[in-house]
Every structure is written in structure tokens, then in C-alpha cells.
Amino acid sequence: MTTTTPGAARVELAIGGMTCASCAARIEKKLNRMDGVEATVNYATEKAKITFDADADISVADLIATVEATGYTAQEPTPPKAESGDADEPTDEEKADEELRPLKQRLITAVALAVPVIAMAMVPALQIEYWQWLSLTLAAPVVVYAAWPFHRAAWTNAKHGAATMDTLISVGTVSAFLWSLWALFFGTAGTPGMTHPFEFTIARTDGAGNIYLEAAAGVTAFILAGRYFEARSKRKAGAALKALMQLGAKEVTVLKNGREVTVPTAELSVGDRFLVRPGEKIATDGTVVEGSSAVDASMLTGESVPVEVSAGDSVTGATLNAGGRLVVEATRVGADTQLARMAKLVEDAQNGKAAAQRLADKISAVFVPVVIALALGTLGFWLGTGSGLTAAFTAAVAVLIIACPCALGLATPTALMVGTGRGAQLGILIKGPEVLETTRKVDTIVLDKTGTVTTGRMTLVKVHTADGTDETDVLRLAGALEHSSEHPIAQAVATGAAAEVGTLPTPEDFAGIPGLGVQGVVDGHAVLVGREKLLEEWAMELPAGLKSAKDAAEKAGRTAIAVAWDGRARAVLEVADAVKETSAEAVRRLRALGLTPILLTGDNKAVAEAVAAEVGIDEVIAEVMPQDKVDVVKRLQGEGRSVAMVGDGVNDAAALAQADLGLAMGTGTDAAIEAGDLTLVRGDLRAAADAIRLSRKTLGTIRSNLFWAFAYNVAALPLAAAGLLNPMIAGAAMAFSSVFVVGNSLRLRGFQAADR
């Protein structure tokens, strides 16, 4: 997948043959040595993200050649394909199982043959007369066949003058095996009836009578088991992204010249009209042109309540039509759809690296040569102290095996894969690991009012009636008249009235009066709906109660509309940009996370303060021009605050980019979504609190992974060098460290939104 912008080109390569974090670090180092190239290689996702100078004499083929010259494979990943329905075509699950099959076969061989070797070495009672020769017969296939991937990788790396974790494993197991061969054929270990006890620590002997076949076979079995379960766990970690990519409909019924034609979704074009029957997935992003239905968007937004849609409403691809028949006109197809953009955001985030992981990668890159030097130093030390060749050799092999930096390389990417994947399932898109670092620091959250805290559309919120007037009559007559007007406030009244009383009557006469309101005849009544001045022109005054209600509404920043019929003022309607039902709860949750909320809006202060009071915000910054929102964020940052910003409009994009953490509502504009660090697919402010919680939890998992990986190596290396670890136990512990890190990351799959 290659993209080009002026002066820079970007490509993503699938890397093959990596077995540990050191491999990734070496490939990254080689690529970055090329002029004009910046590369990041991720061991867990097995991908390289590369930016290079588009004007320089560099091609993708050159990049692939560099990777191959380093001893690995590289290719541009193939885009995901829609299922063809061919029964003979293997599924992704079957392909993944096929890739794991050779590893699984080697693991089964190693376990089946290594277990009796280990048992005979550990239990003296099982050491029959020729037990050592039986051990050799069983251990040889393990060291030669089962451990072959380690030897092959070590040889490949050696040809390129490099060493990786495979070098440590290969050198350790081969050394133990060759030592055993020497002891059996040239020492005293091959003597019939020879026995020796199993010890967790090293033995102080000359070594001629000692064999380490159980270490060679056991280490191979343990490390293969670690690799196998690590590979399975990594597949689970990326399952959320795979599921996201496969959500879309595979086929669509297109309307062409009055006929229904079924075609693959990939063949849809912008402007095509397609049919969505009840129970079918909507093929792509579009606008409803016929029909009405309830659409279940839970797979994209995490929101369980279906949304009612009708002609003129936008719908998103991959959502489920839960109700009636719809005809939709495609507005976005392919990579431009919300689903595709979500998947791209998640994949980009999974390929990134946090600052702590970059340090771990640097350590991994130099770790293997240092360990080999340490093993040689350990060998020399024990020989120098006169402890015997066996003691020296055993300690050196244990150092080689225990020192695997694999857990360091998996610490960040596995947590990122699981955390961002789980976020995608809940409608939270995290753009990259740098975002996680920021969520820990933010202490202030600036909330845009319109469309974020409020619905962003005018709504009928309250009806005040005069004595003796029925509210239903007010809504029926005023709603009928306003329904004929195109004004947003009139439409708010009409929509609210229809929701309360049902079908509205048709006016017998209608006239709009610019700047004042509307007048007409409904059900034989002469009706006026508009400003108080309109009633005054007809010599009508508001009663004291309605006058007070009107003044209070306007003081709160709401629009007050007077209603009169048959020569008398009957009611005052309040219309406002209504606060979302979930906003107050969202503000409470943000406070619980240690954040100070601030309401930011271009509306007048009275409106802003009324909204703030309703949701529980103390600090209000009102009457701010769109271009000045950036200055507000800068001022807060200048006060020493770390600022998060939540917005949804074009006028919020610059402020979202300026903020330390930008949270874009997915119901908003593309500009806002592009500028944000976190995208909330749901238009629910509670998702902001969930996003920050998930980000912090993911960061916490990364930190705990790195701590245990570092602590493991720091603690285990001295023990091995001091001769306090048997090589086989070292191999088991090393394999467990990687499995532990991946398992710890998988716990993020259980993260739940607070309202679930």
C-alpha cells in the first residue's frame, strides 16, 4: 500500500522471517541508513511503515531489496478482499492455521521426545543401564529437526554479521548437545550404568561424566511452546481489526434502469442507488432517498439503540437495516467509507510505537551481542575460579538462554493491538501510541457546546399555556402552521408537535411574515405563531404569566415563540439547542478521571451558562469566534494546563490540533476527525470518558509489560551468571516471560464502556 504526497512517499511492507524484537530492530536500522528513509518496524504486527523522499532515486523495490539483503522477506500487503463465496477458497482462519502448522508440528515432536529425556534426567530411578544413549536417540531429532528454525535464522544472521535471539537459542542448545556428544563418546558419560542426579543449579565437576541432553531438548520444547502460544495470542490480539475489516456487506442490490442487479460491493460507484432490505447490511456510506427504517449501528459505534432514519438522512456502510425497506444513494465507496477509515486508523495505531517501546527496541538491538559477551565472560570467570569446565559451561549456556529480549519487543505492540482493537469495537479510535502518553497527563478538558454537549439542532423544549388553554391544542395548531415553513425554528416546533400529537392538520391558509413569524388558518382558527411583536401588530398582548415565561426563556438564552388564535394569546413555546441526555453524566465521569471541564462556545454568555449549569460545568468561555478557539487553548496551555479538547465542527479542527489531546466526535466533520487524536464514532460525550479510560488502561498495560520484561532480564541474568539456574529452567522461564506479556495484554479485551 503506497501513498504519495509532494516530496514524500509512504509505503507499508509486510515483513517475513522475524523471530524476535532484535530482528525488527536490525531491519529498522538497515532501512534508516538509506538516504531520505524513515522506517518503523513492528515485530508484533510484522509490518514496516516507511516514509521516503519521493524525489530521490529510491523505489519500493529498493526498500524490499534492503530488507531481503538483511536476511528477511518483504512485500506490499495485499488489500483485504471481499469473500467470493467459493467453498474451495480457504478462509482467513484456515490460512492462519496453515501458517502455524509447521510450528505446531515441530512443537509436538519436541514435546513428545523431550518429555522422556527430561524425566530420565530428573528422576534417577528412571536411569536404566543405557538411559544416556536412549536420551541421545530421543534428543537428536529435537535439536536437529524441531530447533531447525533457530539454527537457520542464526546462520542467516551470522552471514550478515548480526546476532539475534535465535543466535542465543541456537548456540545454547547446540553447545549443550555437542558437549553431551563429547562426554558420551570421549568422556565417561557413555559408560553403561552411569547415573547422575538432576540439579537446578550448576554442578562443580570436570564435566567428562555429565550430559546436558535434557537441557538441549527441554529448552527447545519450552521455547517452541512459547513461540506457538505467542503466535496464537498475537492472532487473537489482531482479531478486532480483522473483524472490523470484514464487517462490510459482500454483495449489494443496485437499481439500474428500473431493474434490481446484484453486484459485488467493490463495484459500487458514488451516485449509485441500491436497495437495502430488512435484515441486510448497508453496503456503503450514503443518503436515504426512499423509505424509513431503524438502523442498528452497534458494530461500528458500540451504541446498542437503533437509530431511526428516513429520506434525507445519512447512513453508514456495514450497519444493519433492522426495519423497513430502504433505497440509498452511495456518497462514499471503497477506502473513503467510514468503515475503511476506521480500519486504517486502527491499523496505523497498531503499527506505532510508544516512547518507552523505542527505548526497549534500542536495548534489544544491542542486547544480544552484550549477552554473548557476558556468556563468554561467565565461562572465563568460572574457569578462572577452578570450578571445572562443567560448571563454567552450564552457567554460560544458562546466560545465553535466559537473556532473550523477546518480551521487551512484545510489550508495547501487543497491548496496542488489543487496546486499539477493543476501542474500535466500542466506537473509540486511537490514532497512535503517542496519544496514550498524553492521556495520562491531561488535567483540563475543553468541551465545544454545539453538537458536542448539545444536539446541535433546534428542539422544542417547553410549552407554557395560558389559563384555560390545552397544550395539545397549542401543539396541533402551531405545529400545523410551522410545518409549512422552512425556517429551522419553525421546523423544530413542527417536529416537536408531531412527536407529541401525531399527524398534524393541513393549514387552509398560510403566509410567512419575514422577521416576525407565520400566520394562517388551521381547522377554522386564525392562528399567529412568531415573535411578540407579531401579536402586538394584531392588538394582542401576552398575559402576565406568559410574559414572565418569555422573559425567563430569553434570559436563559432560549428562543421564545408566541402563539395566538382567535384574537387571544394562548401560549409561549421555548426552542433551544437541547442538551444531550447523556452530557451531564459524561461531565461527572470526566471529573472522576481528574479532569476539569470547561465549556467553550461562540454563543452568548446567557445561553452558555444555562447549558453549563444543566450539565454541571463551572467554567464557561463564551462569545468566542471560531478562529479564536485556538487562542483559548493556547492560553490554557500557557497557564501550565495540559489540555484535551472535544469538538465536532470545521471550526473546531484547529483547536483540536492545538490541544495536547484532541477528541473528535465521529458525527462531526471530516476536518475535525482528521485533526483529532481520538475519534469517538458515537455522538455521545460519555464515549470521551471511556476513550480516556481505555487509553490510560492501555498505557498502564504497556508500562506493566515493560516493567516485568525488564525486571525479568535484570533479575535472571545475574542468577544465570552466578550458576544458580539450570539451562532448561532458564529456557522455560524465558518462554514464559513472552507468554506472560502477551497474556497481560489480552486482558484489555475485557474492557467495558461505563454504561454497558
Side-chain angles (χ1 to χ4, degrees):
M1 180 168 51
T2 309
T3 57
T4 305
T5 56
R10 295 177 181 83
V11 66
E12 186 179 87
L13 299 179
I15 306 296
M18 291 193 297
T19 55
C20 67
S22 297
C23 299
R26 199 156 67 82
I27 297 169
E28 190 172 292
K29 186 176 180 181
K30 287 279 188 182
L31 287 169
N32 284 325
R33 281 180 176 172
M34 299 176 69
D35 289 337
V37 173
E38 289 184 16
T40 300
V41 180
N42 190 311
Y43 167 51
T45 58
E46 298 180 335
K47 289 180 181 176
K49 288 181 67 178
I50 305 168
T51 303
F52 58 97
D53 189 348
D55 300 325
D57 191 19
I58 299 174
S59 66
V60 174
D62 295 329
L63 299 172
I64 292 174
T66 299
V67 175
E68 290 176 343
T70 314
Y72 304 88
T73 63
Q75 62 181 16
E76 291 193 68
T78 55
K81 297 178 181 177
E83 294 176 14
S84 63
D86 186 348
D88 296 328
E89 187 176 336
T91 63
D92 287 344
E93 191 74 18
E94 290 169 340
K95 289 176 183 175
D97 288 339
E98 188 66 33
E99 290 172 3
L100 281 177
R101 186 169 290 121
L103 179 58
K104 186 177 182 180
Q105 290 171 343
R106 292 181 193 276
L107 172 61
I108 292 172
T109 301
V111 171
L113 298 179
V115 167
V117 175
I118 296 168
M120 286 187 284
M122 293 180 69
V123 185
L126 297 177
Q127 295 174 3
I128 58 178
E129 188 172 2
Y130 291 101
W131 73 275
Q132 68 273 46
W133 296 100
L134 178 58
S135 291
L136 175 63
T137 304
L138 295 173
V142 178
V143 175
V144 176
Y145 164 71
W148 176 247
F150 306 134
H151 307 322
R152 182 180 57 207
W155 174 246
T156 301
N157 290 323
K159 287 193 297 184
H160 291 88
T164 66
M165 175 195 134
D166 294 291
T167 306
L168 302 183
I169 297 170
S170 180
V171 170
T173 55
V174 169
S175 298
F177 185 71
L178 292 177
W179 175 273
S180 300
L181 286 178
W182 178 86
L184 284 169
F185 286 100
F186 302 104
T188 59
T191 305
M194 182 277 293
T195 62
H196 66 67
F198 177 84
E199 296 181 356
F200 285 89
T201 58
I202 61 174
R204 311 293 198 264
T205 68
D206 64 0
N210 292 83
I211 58 174
Y212 293 99
L213 294 170
E214 81 281 0
V219 164
T220 300
F222 280 125
I223 293 174
L224 281 173
R227 287 270 175 96
Y228 178 72
F229 291 115
E230 175 190 311
R232 283 179 59 89
S233 297
K234 280 163 62 179
R235 194 172 74 185
K236 285 183 182 177
L241 177 59
K242 291 187 180 74
L244 192 64
M245 298 291 281
Q246 294 170 357
L247 276 178
K250 310 308 177 205
E251 293 183 332
V252 58
T253 302
V254 179
L255 301 177
K256 290 186 176 180
N257 301 321
R259 294 186 304 113
E260 296 181 5
V261 182
T262 302
V263 299
T265 302
E267 294 182 11
L268 266 180
S269 301
V270 173
D272 284 350
R273 294 194 173 190
F274 58 92
L275 177 65
V276 189
R277 298 180 180 89
E280 290 183 345
K281 287 182 179 178
I282 296 172
T284 194
D285 297 359
T287 302
V288 177
V289 292
E290 286 182 30
S292 61
S293 180
V295 173
D296 179 359
S298 58
M299 66 284 291
L300 287 184
T301 67
E303 179 57 63
S304 58
V305 180
V307 178
E308 295 291 335
V309 297
S310 57
D313 290 333
S314 297
V315 290
T316 305
T319 54
L320 184 68
N321 179 15
R325 177 184 183 275
L326 295 175
V327 176
V328 179
E329 183 175 308
T331 55
R332 286 174 173 165
V333 296
D336 292 330
T337 65
Q338 183 173 334
L339 176 65
R341 289 177 359 198
M342 283 175 65
K344 184 69 174 69
L345 280 172
V346 175
E347 190 168 21
D348 286 347
Q350 291 182 352
N351 282 332
K353 292 184 181 180
Q357 183 62 33
R358 294 186 183 280
L359 174 62
D361 285 350
K362 289 179 182 177
I363 293 172
S364 296
V366 299
F367 198 63
V368 175
V370 169
V371 168
I372 292 174
L374 182 59
L376 292 173
T378 300
L379 181 69
F381 171 79
W382 286 110
L383 287 174
T385 57
S387 299
L389 187 58
T390 297
F393 174 76
T394 308
V397 170
V399 167
L400 287 173
I401 293 168
I402 199 72
C404 159
C406 208
L408 288 176
L410 290 169
T412 290
T414 53
L416 266 179
M417 287 171 74
V418 182
T420 54
R422 181 61 183 146
Q425 291 174 330
L426 296 172
I428 300 165
L429 305 183
I430 303 170
K431 278 197 176 177
E434 301 82 4
V435 174
L436 306 180
E437 305 278 358
T438 307
T439 58
R440 183 176 58 88
K441 303 171 187 173
V442 292
D443 52 34
T444 301
I445 185 161
V446 176
L447 306 175
D448 173 59
K449 181 184 76 69
T450 306
T452 302
V453 176
T454 65
T455 61
R457 60 181 182 274
M458 300 302 284
T459 306
L460 177 63
V461 294
K462 191 173 282 189
V463 179
H464 303 274
T465 58
D467 293 339
T469 303
D470 184 66
E471 184 175 315
T472 302
D473 291 337
V474 173
L475 292 173
R476 187 169 56 83
L477 297 176
L481 203 58
E482 293 282 52
H483 188 266
S484 299
S485 172
E486 295 297 325
H487 195 282
I489 292 177
Q491 286 300 303
V493 172
T495 302
E500 290 293 325
V501 303
T503 304
L504 300 172
T506 302
E508 297 148 33
D509 184 39
F510 170 84
I513 305 168
L516 292 179
V518 293
Q519 66 183 38
V521 177
V522 181
D523 287 349
H525 299 284
V527 183
L528 299 174
V529 183
R531 297 172 63 180
E532 184 182 7
K533 188 176 180 182
L534 176 63
L535 272 65
E536 290 174 351
E537 289 188 357
W538 288 80
M540 286 182 268
E541 292 185 3
L542 291 175
L546 293 183
K547 181 72 172 174
S548 299
K550 170 185 170 294
D551 292 342
E554 291 178 342
K555 189 175 181 181
R558 295 177 174 177
T559 300
I561 303 167
V563 180
W565 67 80
D566 296 342
R568 189 170 146 228
R570 308 279 184 164
V572 167
L573 310 178
E574 290 187 32
V575 174
D577 180 6
V579 172
K580 294 178 182 177
E581 293 179 0
T582 57
S583 291
E585 175 63 22
V587 170
R588 282 193 291 273
R589 292 182 188 175
L590 292 169
R591 285 189 184 278
L593 292 170
L595 304 174
T596 302
I598 297 175
L599 188 67
L600 178 66
T601 180
D603 275 355
N604 68 67
K605 195 166 185 178
V607 173
E609 288 179 344
V611 171
E614 189 171 341
V615 299
I617 296 176
D618 301 324
E619 191 171 348
V620 176
I621 302 175
E623 300 175 10
V624 177
M625 298 296 289
Q627 61 270 26
D628 296 332
K629 289 186 177 182
V630 175
D631 295 331
V632 171
V633 173
K634 286 181 179 178
R635 176 171 60 79
L636 293 170
Q637 290 170 328
E639 295 172 1
R641 303 197 202 191
S642 183
V643 180
M645 167 85 186
V646 186
D648 74 329
V650 172
N651 59 358
D652 299 321
L656 287 169
Q658 174 63 37
D660 299 289
L661 179 69
L663 295 94
M665 304 293 276
T667 51
T669 64
D670 291 347
I673 292 170
E674 186 64 30
D677 301 306
L678 287 162
T679 300
L680 314 175
V681 179
R682 287 187 281 157
D684 185 341
L685 191 57
R686 290 178 299 181
D690 290 332
I692 292 173
R693 275 200 311 120
L694 175 60
S695 297
R696 288 180 176 179
K697 194 171 181 66
T698 304
L699 179 63
T701 301
I702 290 172
R703 289 175 176 273
S704 65
N705 282 350
L706 287 170
F707 170 79
W708 287 112
F710 273 116
Y712 163 82
N713 280 297
V714 168
L717 270 175
L719 288 175
L724 299 176
L725 280 180
N726 179 285
M728 187 181 65
I729 304 302
M734 187 278 291
F736 172 76
S737 70
S738 293
V739 174
F740 170 81
V741 162
V742 176
N744 189 42
S745 297
L746 286 173
R747 293 189 306 119
L748 287 167
R749 296 172 79 191
F751 178 88
Q752 294 292 332
D755 54 326
R756 294 290 183 271

